[in-house]
């Protein structure tokens, strides 16, 4: 994890009342193995270094590809070249190839709608006084072999039960997180050029192995209440961990890049910060694999809920998402004009910017200019990427637009 100065400290907030456990999810969660998690971490830390410019980056990427192919996922290794990147090191090398590993388990619907899980696989050991040879030595067991190992185990159990879900499940392993969220940044720019799929949200795992108080930190983002609330609820339903709501590290890991593009996300991490992270002592011998098993249970249950695993009751209401329900869409510097047959008396119009900030949240009826016709004043919005949403109790219409004046 790329850590920043703590600005806000939040005490635990209770969000949801308890609901009944889903028996089928509980049965599958019982197959999650602490031994399997430990083996995953140890195989990753067996590489002398996973630093972004180490000699082992490509090998790790192909190891992850082979593992995920074994679980029935379609794999793309998406490489990108980093040139003249400045960072502290003892030898003048600052260019090289990085590799994102993108894994897809297709859903049953024809529409390309995906739930993302992400974890970075690179690591660094800069906290050793006087040590700079992290190209060759950086074990990174907690940061972040633990997150990668947890997603490998999630994929194993998903495959073991041959789970069929309504929406695509995408598990992605990112390079270069430690020096600026580089892998997820590259991924988001490619994903958005142009948008080719509906993204339900992204669940990020970073440093999930060190434990002292059986507490899980759930980092929340202001546009992602349903993901945050569901993570808290499922923690209580399927584990004995204490969920702690926080926003300490929202910009310190790959979920940040999804959030700033306006996507929903939640970031799961350990509450008791490892004293060994970014050192040569970041070893599996300091990790609690029973604790990791419980965090894997939370992640697995979220995959079942949000990807709509068949045969499982899903707490979230079924919501249609159809951009084609907005017709005759016209955009000027000052106005959005469009038609929709959605009932304006029962719908809300929402505009969210690329930082996830709510810019307009007003009844759709406010903007009526004719039969099924609407006009929205956007003159106060700055240049950038926006999401227009029209929502009702059973429907959500989504339209993306860009302002460049």
């Amino acid at each position: 994890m790329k850590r920043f100065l703590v600005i806000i400290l939040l005490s635990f907030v209770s969000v949801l009342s308890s609901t009944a456990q889903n028996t089928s999810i509980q049965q599958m969660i019982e197959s999650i193995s602490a031994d399997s998690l430990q083996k995953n971490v140890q195989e990753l830390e067996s590489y002398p270094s996973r630093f972004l410019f180490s000699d082992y980056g490509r090998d790790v990427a192909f190891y992850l590809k082979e593992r995920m192919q074994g679980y029935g996922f379609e794999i793309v290794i998406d490489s990108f070249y980093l040139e003249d990147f400045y960072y502290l090191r003892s030898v003048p090398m600052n260019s090289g190839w990085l590799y994102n590993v993108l894994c897809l388990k297709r859903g049953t619907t024809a529409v390309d709608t995906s739930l993302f899980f992400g974890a970075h696989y690179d690591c660094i050991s800069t906290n050793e006084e006087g040590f700079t040879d992290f190209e060759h030595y950086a074990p990174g067991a907690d940061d972040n072999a633990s997150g990668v190992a947890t997603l490998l185990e999630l994929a194993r159990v998903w495959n073991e039960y041959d789970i069929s879900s309504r929406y695509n499940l995408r598990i992605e392993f990112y390079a270069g997180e430690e020096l600026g969220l580089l892998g997820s940044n590259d991924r988001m720019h490619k994903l958005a050029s142009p948008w080719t799929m509906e993204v339900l949200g992204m669940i990020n795992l970073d440093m999930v192995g060190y434990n002292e108080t059986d507490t899980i930190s759930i980092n929340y983002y202001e546009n992602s209440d349903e993901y945050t609330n569901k993570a808290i609820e499922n923690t209580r339903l399927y584990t004995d961990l204490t969920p702690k709501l926080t926003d300490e590290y929202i910009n310190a890991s790959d979920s940040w890049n999804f959030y700033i593009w306006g996507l929903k996300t939640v970031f799961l991490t350990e509450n008791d910060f490892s004293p060994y992270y970014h050192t040569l002592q970041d070893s599996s011998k300091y990790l609690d694999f029973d604790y990791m098993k419980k965090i894997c249970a939370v992640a697995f249950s979220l995959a079942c809920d949000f990807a709509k695993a068949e045969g499982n009751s899903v707490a979230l209401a079924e919501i249609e998402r159809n951009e084609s329900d907005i017709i005759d869409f016209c955009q000027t510097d000052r106005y959005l004009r469009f038609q929709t047959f959605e009932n304006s008396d029962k719908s809300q119009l929402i505009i969210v910017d690329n930082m996830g900030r709510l810019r307009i949240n007003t009844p759709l009826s406010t903007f009526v200019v004719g039969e099924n016709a609407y006009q929205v004043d956007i003159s106060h919005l700055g240049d950038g990427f926006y999401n227009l949403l029209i929502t009702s109790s059973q429907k959500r219409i989504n339209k993306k637009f860009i302002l460049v004046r």
Side-chain angles (χ1 to χ4, degrees):
M1 179 189 298
K2 183 175 170 54
R3 301 264 176 170
F4 293 91
L5 179 66
V6 176
I7 299 175
I8 302 174
L9 294 174
L10 297 179
S11 60
F12 169 73
V13 179
S14 176
V15 178
L16 292 173
S17 60
S18 177
T19 60
Q21 284 188 354
N22 181 309
T23 303
S24 57
I25 292 179
Q26 182 62 47
Q27 289 173 343
M28 291 185 286
I29 281 173
E30 290 171 1
S31 296
I32 297 172
S33 167
D35 290 340
S36 180
L37 288 163
Q38 182 174 9
K39 182 175 182 292
N40 291 342
V41 171
Q42 289 175 341
E43 287 187 355
L44 287 163
E45 71 175 336
S46 70
Y47 292 89
S49 175
R50 300 190 312 278
F51 178 66
L52 82 165
F53 286 134
S54 78
D55 295 333
Y56 307 99
R58 187 177 184 275
D59 294 339
V60 176
F62 277 84
Y63 160 79
L64 293 171
K65 174 185 178 181
E66 183 177 347
R67 287 291 305 275
M68 294 296 286
Q69 280 179 330
Y71 299 141
F73 282 72
E74 302 172 30
I75 313 298
V76 172
I77 292 186
D78 186 18
S79 59
F80 61 101
Y81 194 74
L82 198 63
E83 189 170 12
D84 296 330
F85 183 80
Y86 176 80
Y87 61 97
L88 176 65
R89 56 178 291 114
S90 57
V91 293
M93 173 184 171
N94 59 359
S95 300
W97 287 98
L98 302 185
Y99 306 91
N100 287 335
V101 184
L102 314 180
C103 314
L104 167 63
K105 182 79 77 167
R106 294 189 183 275
T108 59
T109 61
V111 179
D112 191 2
T113 302
S114 297
L115 174 68
F116 283 69
F117 280 80
H120 74 90
Y121 67 85
D122 66 307
C123 62
I124 199 168
S125 51
T126 53
N127 286 354
E128 292 288 326
E129 185 175 354
F131 180 79
T132 58
D133 194 16
F134 34 83
E135 179 186 355
H136 299 104
Y137 304 101
D142 190 29
D143 189 11
N144 184 38
S146 65
V148 174
T150 300
L151 293 186
L152 287 172
E153 181 66 359
L154 188 158
R156 183 190 70 80
V157 176
W158 197 269
N159 181 66
E160 177 183 327
Y161 283 92
D162 194 22
I163 296 174
S164 175
S165 61
R166 179 175 178 183
Y167 301 124
N168 298 335
L169 177 65
R170 293 181 181 269
I171 294 178
E172 302 192 341
F173 304 107
Y174 303 119
E177 186 268 358
E178 295 292 0
L179 296 182
L181 317 182
L182 302 173
S184 56
N185 178 64
D186 182 81
R187 174 59 167 146
M188 284 307 305
H189 277 83
K190 290 175 179 175
L191 188 66
S193 303
W195 288 95
T196 58
M197 73 177 74
E198 172 88 9
V199 178
L200 295 173
M202 186 267 198
I203 298 159
N204 183 42
L205 285 84
D206 192 350
M207 296 181 67
V208 294
Y210 187 81
N211 175 45
E212 293 179 357
T213 60
D214 287 334
T215 300
I216 178 175
S217 282
I218 299 172
N219 284 264
Y220 72 91
Y221 297 79
E222 62 183 351
N223 66 341
S224 308
D225 286 350
E226 63 182 321
Y227 278 74
T228 303
N229 294 346
K230 195 64 178 169
I232 294 173
E233 179 185 6
N234 286 12
T235 299
R236 292 175 175 164
L237 284 174
Y238 300 112
T239 80
D240 59 0
L241 298 178
T242 299
K244 178 182 176 182
L245 195 61
T246 180
D247 65 353
E248 285 185 34
Y249 304 119
I250 59 172
N251 60 350
S253 192
D254 292 306
S255 45
W256 179 252
N257 276 325
F258 283 75
Y259 165 68
I260 64 175
W261 281 88
L263 302 177
K264 296 178 181 179
T265 185
V266 67
F267 170 21
L268 307 179
T269 188
E270 63 201 30
N271 182 67
D272 308 302
F273 184 35
S274 170
Y276 306 107
Y277 102 109
H278 288 187
T279 75
L280 296 175
Q281 284 71 50
D282 188 3
S283 164
S284 58
K285 68 182 180 180
Y286 297 114
L287 302 188
D288 182 339
F289 294 100
D290 287 325
Y291 173 74
M292 281 181 61
K293 177 178 177 179
K294 295 170 186 177
I295 292 183
C296 187
V298 175
F300 183 89
S301 66
L302 292 174
C304 289
D305 282 348
F306 285 102
K308 308 292 190 200
E310 295 178 1
N312 293 299
S313 61
V314 178
L316 299 178
E318 292 288 338
I319 298 175
E320 294 183 37
R321 298 171 173 86
N322 191 354
E323 184 171 306
S324 65
D325 284 346
I326 294 181
I327 57 178
D328 295 333
F329 185 85
C330 177
Q331 174 187 333
T332 70
D333 288 350
R334 184 172 178 81
Y335 295 107
L336 293 180
R337 298 186 181 95
F338 58 90
Q339 287 184 286
T340 178
F341 296 105
E342 183 66 7
N343 187 334
S344 63
D345 293 332
K346 297 181 179 180
S347 299
Q348 196 80 358
L349 183 140
I350 298 168
I351 293 181
V352 180
D353 68 15
N354 69 339
M355 295 292 287
R357 295 174 297 200
L358 196 64
R359 303 304 299 271
I360 296 176
N361 186 7
T362 306
L364 180 61
S365 58
T366 305
F367 306 103
V368 172
V369 292
E371 185 176 359
N372 301 320
Y374 303 88
Q375 178 172 288
V376 183
D377 186 348
I378 57 170
S379 60
H380 61 290
L381 301 179
D383 289 358
F385 169 89
Y386 293 90
N387 271 293
L388 166 67
L389 302 143
I390 298 173
T391 66
S392 64
S393 60
Q394 291 298 316
K395 199 165 192 176
R396 188 185 80 173
I397 302 170
N398 186 8
K399 178 75 175 179
K400 299 176 177 67
F401 66 95
I402 297 175
L403 274 179
V404 181
R405 294 184 173 89

